[in-house]
């Protein structure tokens, strides 16, 4: 019979050193929150091992906000999460007590996995290593450790003739402080072993805290597995550590995308948080893609493209320095350089949006061209219509926004405006420099400009002499 797991994430801490004004588990990272990462790690560990598993967060500071965020994320991913409440941060052992007292089923799982909310780099495969270690050696508990040349702040692993124990920084003498093998705070423990000892842990130490590390004693059947890669345990306590962790996570994501056929010109200066980028896509430096955006196959994203919550379909070419927010660009369209697509924009298949074009809350059908220097807002433009240079939808009357509708196959001459609300039918022609204020039926022509007056030899009166 396979083992069952209760994973618990200690997330009651405050995180004042981050100076972000939010509880540490809610610190922003890679377009997500810090706590999302250990949660995802726990769920993927359950999934990979195919074992029965349940996740709990021990919350304290800003309990409501942390819990509502965690519930939302889990619901979105089809997972469930339990919560335990630790009123006062009396130490990591006390946090685990809160877990066992608030989550009744916790005692029934074969193993208890302890993770921290602030170590986002730990992966399911790392927990798996620790689990394999405990099984192989038939241990009651295992701590993940690593070698840290500057071990300040960490609990030290004191190995003896038989077994080991953990001494916290504050309680360590000079000799112990010199030990470089440190405790990561990540454990896999037999639940029966935890329950046997948890309540007898005392707070007789320099911090006056209940240390979970007191579960590790020389004469207990416990082990310390030293990991080569110490990056995975990097904790986020400061903004510098947040930046380093975020960089590593982003780089991991891009390495993964590369293995799936995404080509980067220089991944070190590219910022892709989204995991959804299709094969054959080429990404130039200084491209930013947030975690909510999706990019299809064989897309080209030239330098300086910024995508926020946007969808770029297959075969699209986005030229340099274009900015997208809550927008969709459909198959084989070409956009930019220097285009701005604001929320609610939907650019149709094979459409062409050129330089210095701004589009907001508008739907462009297949093959529409807006090639230069235009503003299109609150509009619908039908298939194959061509919008000339310097076109403006005058959509705002100072109080309300109004719609411009342009049918299929119409031609709007350069330097024209539509004063919305207005509808231009299919196959219409608007002469350049026109201001369209009235609806145009299908097939109609409109021109609204003053007749030109030309007076011979009069120019010299206006040309200033030097
Ligand atoms: C802990 C370990 C230390 C290890 C280090 C690794 C103990 C006693 N020490 O120390 O050996 O080297 O992690 O980073 O466990 N938390 C609660 N409730 C509490 C206290 C802490 O939920 O009452 C949470 C924190 O929010 C954090 C985690 O537990 O997510 C670890 O607590 P922290 O105070 O950072 O422990 P360290 O002193 O770093
Ligand atoms: Mg810590």
């Amino acid at each position: 019979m396979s083992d069952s797991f209760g994973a618990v994430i200690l997330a009651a801490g405050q995180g004042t050193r981050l100076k972000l004004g939010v509880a540490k588990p809610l610190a922003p990272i890679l377009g997500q929150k810090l706590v999302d990462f250990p949660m995802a790690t726990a769920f993927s560990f359950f999934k990979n091992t195919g074992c029965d598993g349940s996740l709990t967060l021990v919350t304290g500071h800003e309990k409501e906000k942390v819990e509502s965020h965690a519930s939302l994320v889990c619901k979105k991913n089809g997972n469930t999460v339990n919560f335990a409440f630790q009123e006062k941060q009396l130490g990591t052992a006390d946090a685990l007590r809160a877990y066992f007292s608030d989550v009744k089923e916790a005692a029934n799982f074969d193993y208890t996995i302890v993770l921290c909310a602030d170590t986002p780099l730990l992966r399911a495969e790392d927990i798996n290593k620790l689990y394999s270690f405990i099984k192989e050696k038939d241990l009651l508990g295992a701590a993940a450790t690593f070698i840290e040349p500057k071990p300040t702040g960490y609990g030290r692993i004191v190995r003896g003739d038989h077994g080991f124990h953990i001494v916290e920084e504050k309680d360590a003498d000079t000799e112990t402080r010199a030990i470089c093998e440190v405790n990561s705070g990540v454990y896999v423990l037999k639940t029966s072993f935890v329950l046997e000892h948890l309540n007898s842990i005392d707070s007789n130490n320099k911090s006056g805290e209940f240390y979970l590390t007191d579960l590790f004693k020389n004469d207990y059947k416990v082990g310390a597995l030293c990991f080569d890669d110490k990056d995975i345990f990097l904790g986020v306590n400061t903004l510098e550590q947040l930046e380093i962790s975020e960089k590593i996570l982003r780089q991991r994501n891009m390495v993964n995308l590369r293995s799936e056929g995404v080509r980067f010109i220089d991944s070190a200066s590219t910022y892709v948080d989204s995991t959804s980028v299709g094969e054959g896509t080429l990404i130039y430096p200084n491209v930013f893609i947030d975690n909510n955006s999706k990019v299809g196959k064989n897309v080209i994203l030239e330098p300086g493209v910024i995508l926020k919550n946007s969808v770029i379909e297959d075969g699209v070419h986005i030229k340099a320095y274009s900015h997208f927010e809550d927008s969709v660009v459909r198959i084989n369209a070409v956009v930019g350089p220097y285009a701005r697509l604001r929320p609610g924009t939907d650019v149709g298949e094979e459409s062409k949006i050129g330089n210095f074009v701004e589009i907001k809350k508008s739907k462009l059908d297949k093959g529409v061209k807006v090639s230069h220097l235009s503003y299109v807002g609150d509009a619908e433009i039908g298939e194959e219509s061509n919008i000339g240079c310097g076109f403006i939808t005058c959509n705002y009357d100072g109080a309300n926004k109004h719609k411009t509708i342009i049918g299929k196959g119409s031609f709007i001459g350069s330097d024209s405006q539509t004063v919305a609300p207005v509808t231009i039918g299919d196959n219409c022609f608007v002469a350049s420099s026109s201001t369209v204020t009235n609806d145009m039926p299908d097939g109609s022509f409109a021109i609204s400009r003053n007749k030109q007056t030309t007076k011979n030899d009069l120019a010299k009166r206006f040309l200033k002499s030097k």
Side-chain angles (χ1 to χ4, degrees), residues 139-410:
L139 301 168
L140 299 174
T145 70
F146 57 98
I147 305 297
E148 176 51 68
K150 292 181 196 153
T152 312
Y154 289 105
R156 309 297 205 279
I157 304 299
V158 184
R159 292 186 188 260
D161 292 338
H162 70 283
F164 76 103
H165 62 280
I166 303 178
V167 178
E168 290 306 301
E169 166 98 6
K170 279 191 185 160
D171 305 297
D173 56 24
T174 316
E175 192 188 338
T176 307
R177 284 190 187 201
I179 295 173
C180 289
E181 185 179 1
V182 298
N183 175 27
S184 70
V186 174
Y187 319 103
V188 175
L189 308 156
K190 266 238 156 113
T191 305
S192 53
F193 166 72
V194 182
L195 292 172
E196 195 184 332
H197 298 287
L198 191 62
N199 284 328
S200 56
I201 291 176
D202 61 35
S203 57
N204 298 331
N205 52 58
K206 291 258 169 66
S207 316
E209 282 185 16
F210 297 93
Y211 291 160
L212 191 55
T213 43
D214 283 356
L215 283 181
F216 297 92
K217 294 197 171 147
N218 289 15
D219 43 3
Y220 290 170
K221 208 176 170 207
V222 291
L225 179 65
C226 190
F227 283 69
D228 292 333
D229 179 8
K230 65 172 185 169
D231 274 359
I232 56 176
F233 301 113
L234 188 69
V236 174
N237 301 299
T238 62
L239 287 173
E240 187 188 5
Q241 288 168 332
L242 182 68
E243 186 180 327
I244 295 169
S245 300
E246 190 174 45
K247 259 190 189 168
I248 296 173
L249 285 169
R250 186 178 287 127
Q251 210 54 42
R252 256 190 209 167
N253 182 45
M254 289 193 287
V255 165
N256 201 30
L257 291 173
R258 190 196 288 129
S259 74
E260 288 167 2
V262 177
R263 181 180 166 216
F264 295 96
I265 298 297
D266 177 12
S267 62
S269 53
T270 308
Y271 308 86
V272 181
D273 295 357
S274 168
T275 53
S276 180
V277 181
E279 192 180 323
T281 287
L282 167 60
I283 305 184
Y284 282 79
N286 279 317
V287 167
F288 287 76
I289 305 177
D290 79 355
N291 159 59
N292 293 317
S293 294
K294 288 195 166 101
V295 178
K297 293 181 188 166
N298 302 315
V299 167
I300 300 174
L301 301 176
E302 290 188 9
V305 168
I306 299 173
L307 301 180
K308 296 180 184 172
N309 193 35
S310 293
V311 176
I312 309 299
E313 293 189 352
D314 297 349
V316 167
H317 182 168
I318 300 181
K319 297 184 181 173
Y321 305 107
S322 296
H323 188 279
F324 299 75
E325 236 180 310
D326 308 334
S327 294
V328 180
V329 181
R330 303 202 181 267
I331 299 178
N332 295 337
V334 179
V335 180
Y338 300 99
R340 179 171 183 212
L341 270 56
R342 290 171 51 202
T345 296
D346 183 332
V347 171
E349 213 178 305
E350 290 167 22
S351 284
K352 184 172 177 288
I353 308 302
N355 44 271
F356 305 108
V357 171
E358 174 182 344
I359 307 180
K360 186 214 80 169
K361 206 175 173 187
S362 295
K363 185 168 185 336
L364 279 54
D365 288 342
K366 184 175 176 182
V368 168
K369 291 193 178 78
V370 188
S371 299
H372 340 260
L373 298 147
S374 292
Y375 171 63
V376 176
D378 303 297
E380 283 173 26
I381 305 179
E383 243 179 83
E384 304 292 337
S385 279
N386 184 92
I387 312 295
C389 174
F391 168 75
I392 296 170
T393 52
C394 307
N395 60 330
Y396 187 46
D397 60 14
N400 295 301
K401 306 279 166 69
H402 302 282
K403 269 195 108 157
T404 295
I405 297 174
I406 299 173
K408 296 181 215 165
S410 287

Side-chain angles (χ1 to χ4, degrees), residues 17 24 116 118 153-154 235 237:
R17 275 189 290 161
K24 201 202 258 188
C116 291
D118 63 355
Y154 289 105
N237 301 299

